[in-house]
Structure formats: structure tokens, C-alpha cells
Amino acid sequence: DNDGFGIFDIRSTENQITGGVIPGQVTVTYHETPEDADNDVNPLPDTYTNINADAQTIYVRVENVLTGCFNVVPLDLIVNDAPEIAALDAATLEECDTDTDGIAQFDLTLSEPDILNGEDPLTHTIRYYNTLANANLGTGAGQINNVNAYSNITPNSQVIWVRVDDLATSCFRVTNLTLIVNELPTLVQLPGLETCDAVSLNDGVEVFDLSSLSEQLLNNAPGISLDYFANAADLAADTPIANPAAYSNTEIGVQTIFVLATNDTTGCQNTI
């Protein structure tokens, strides 16, 4: 929690301190002060939480079992900050469901600016996992390797786990990333609009209110915007009809209009 305190396995330093002396030849005890170490009182437990924030020196007494002679050496405990990454449930990626199966392909790396939350990408590594347990282990087990083209394995939404390691300290933190697959707008196929060629006396051109069908096209679904296109080329070029409420056909007899529906919240689109 980056409060300057951590839990240390101080006993793990014993071999390094003694230089690998055969067990039983010396006793090793840990103390908060040099006086306690000299007097062999108040030994610390093997698992110890520092009492001075960020850094603290404790003292290790190494005593010869046969002679009682001893030496005392300092041991520095250093608490490094964990990466200050995004909080749980703070990061999401969204894609549109192009084939209505609830599955989409995600580029997980697009989430990295949000995940890093200002941490330097050059000094941290980011790995993605399918379970929290595997993310905490940080091994290859359960790691997602196809990060640029990952397909969710549970329909519609999935939570994956992200581990960020500080390259300098090896401290890490784990957060999650929610993948969301959004539905496309649903459009209803309609028979079309018909009118009589009366205004301009049989020239095959009349004025149509294309927007009059909007509620029927959407089956009254809210939150969806419609754009109308005179032909497929205009749709591909994203050149909509400027005034669909008063559109004069440009093809004689029958003309097919293309409608693009856009969900105002998700940006997902569908055409008809």
C-alpha cells in the first residue's frame, strides 16, 4: 500500500551473513538495536515488519556455539514503493460484436496508458493473465501472449488480470482489465417509400422524407443516430445525405438508400 512498511523474511539472510557456516556451529539472532544484539535480548521473529518507514537497520548477532564468541553486523531493510497503477475495475476496453456471438478481438496494449496511470512504460513491464492467482505468481502459467489480438473466452464481457513490475526494484502490483463486447444497433428491413410522380410531371424524380422511417427502422430503440447515403460508394466514403427529410432521388424509378445506425454511447454501427 506504499505506506513505507513491508513484511520481511529476515531469516532468509542467514546463509549470506554466516558465509554458509555448517548449521549447528553458530546461532544467529536478529535485533532492533545493537545493544539488544550485544546483550542477546529481545530477538526478532523470522518474519518482521519494519517500524521505521521506508528504511531501517537491524542488527544480527552471530555466536559460536562452542566458544560463546560473537560478532554483530547490521542488516538494512529497504521498502520500495509498488507501481502506482490503475485501481481495480478502473480500466476497460470495448469492441463491437460484428457477428452477434458475444466474442470480439481486442488489442490489450491499448489499455496500457490507463493501466500505467502515469508510470514510465520504459521502466515497467506489463503482463496479462486469465486469473488473479497466475498474475500474482508472475510466471508463464496462464499468461496471455497474443496481446495484440486477444479474443475474449466468455461472451459479452470478461475480466483479465494485469501485472505491472518495476524493473528497478522487482516490486509489482496487480489490477484488472474488463473487456466489453457491445451489440450492434438492430435495424428492421422495411419495404421502402413510394410516391406518385406528380409534382414534376413524370420525370421520375420526387422529394422523399427519408427520416420519416427512422422509428420503424430502429423499432423505437433509443440512443441511436441515423445517417442516410445515396449509394454504396457514398456510404464507403462516409458522405451522408445532407437533408434526408427532403431528398430528391437521383436514380429514375427505384433507388436504394443505405442507412448507417450508430449507437450514441458505444459507437458501434450497423447498416441496412
Side-chain angles (χ1 to χ4, degrees):
D1 54 9
N2 287 353
D3 63 353
F5 297 93
I7 301 172
F8 292 86
D9 176 13
I10 56 177
R11 181 64 60 179
S12 66
T13 64
E14 182 173 325
N15 283 339
Q16 184 181 1
I17 289 170
T18 64
V21 171
I22 298 173
Q25 292 184 351
V26 295
T27 58
V28 181
T29 53
Y30 297 79
H31 306 264
E32 283 182 346
T33 67
E35 292 79 15
D36 284 353
D38 285 339
N39 296 315
D40 197 16
V41 295
N42 303 319
L44 300 177
D46 292 348
T47 301
Y48 175 73
T49 300
N50 56 303
I51 58 175
N52 298 329
D54 302 322
Q56 178 183 341
T57 300
I58 62 173
Y59 300 87
V60 189
R61 176 188 174 104
V62 182
E63 181 177 333
N64 187 294
V65 173
L66 296 177
T67 67
C69 294
F70 69 92
N71 202 350
V72 175
V73 295
L75 173 63
D76 291 329
L77 308 180
I78 300 171
V79 183
N80 294 304
D81 284 344
E84 293 278 8
I85 61 174
L88 292 174
D89 302 322
T92 60
L93 283 179
E94 299 187 34
E95 290 291 343
C96 299
D97 189 1
T98 57
D99 55 5
T100 69
D101 63 353
I103 305 298
Q105 193 173 89
F106 294 84
D107 182 353
L108 303 181
T109 63
L110 295 177
S111 71
E112 292 182 0
D114 291 335
I115 293 290
L116 286 174
N117 194 32
E119 295 282 14
D120 187 348
L122 299 179
T123 59
H124 294 77
T125 59
I126 303 175
R127 288 175 286 175
Y128 301 85
Y129 292 86
N130 279 320
T131 68
L132 174 59
N134 285 330
N136 281 322
L137 286 174
T139 63
Q143 183 175 346
I144 297 171
N145 295 314
N146 55 331
V147 295
N148 299 113
Y150 176 75
S151 296
N152 53 304
I153 56 177
T154 58
N156 304 320
S157 68
Q158 180 185 342
V159 174
I160 62 174
W161 298 90
V162 188
R163 176 185 172 117
V164 179
D165 288 81
D166 187 315
L167 293 173
T169 66
S170 297
C171 291
F172 73 92
R173 183 164 282 169
V174 173
T175 188
N176 59 358
L177 170 65
T178 303
L179 308 180
I180 300 172
V181 183
N182 293 307
E183 295 181 351
L184 303 186
T186 300
L187 293 167
V188 178
Q189 186 68 64
L190 300 178
L193 286 170
E194 294 187 30
T195 192
C196 296
D197 190 359
V199 175
S200 52
L201 302 177
N202 297 327
D203 65 353
V205 177
E206 289 294 333
V207 176
F208 292 84
D209 181 1
L210 305 180
S211 60
S212 66
L213 298 178
S214 60
E215 292 184 357
Q216 297 177 59
L217 280 168
L218 295 172
N219 197 23
N220 297 307
I224 298 174
S225 300
L226 296 180
D227 288 303
Y228 302 82
F229 298 84
N231 49 58
D234 284 354
L235 174 63
D238 193 23
T239 307
I241 294 169
N243 184 13
Y247 175 72
S248 296
N249 56 300
T250 57
E251 298 179 21
I252 305 303
V254 177
Q255 180 175 346
T256 298
I257 299 295
F258 293 82
V259 186
L260 175 68
T262 305
N263 186 299
D264 297 332
T265 301
T266 67
C268 292
Q269 296 180 318
N270 200 6
T271 59
I272 199 169

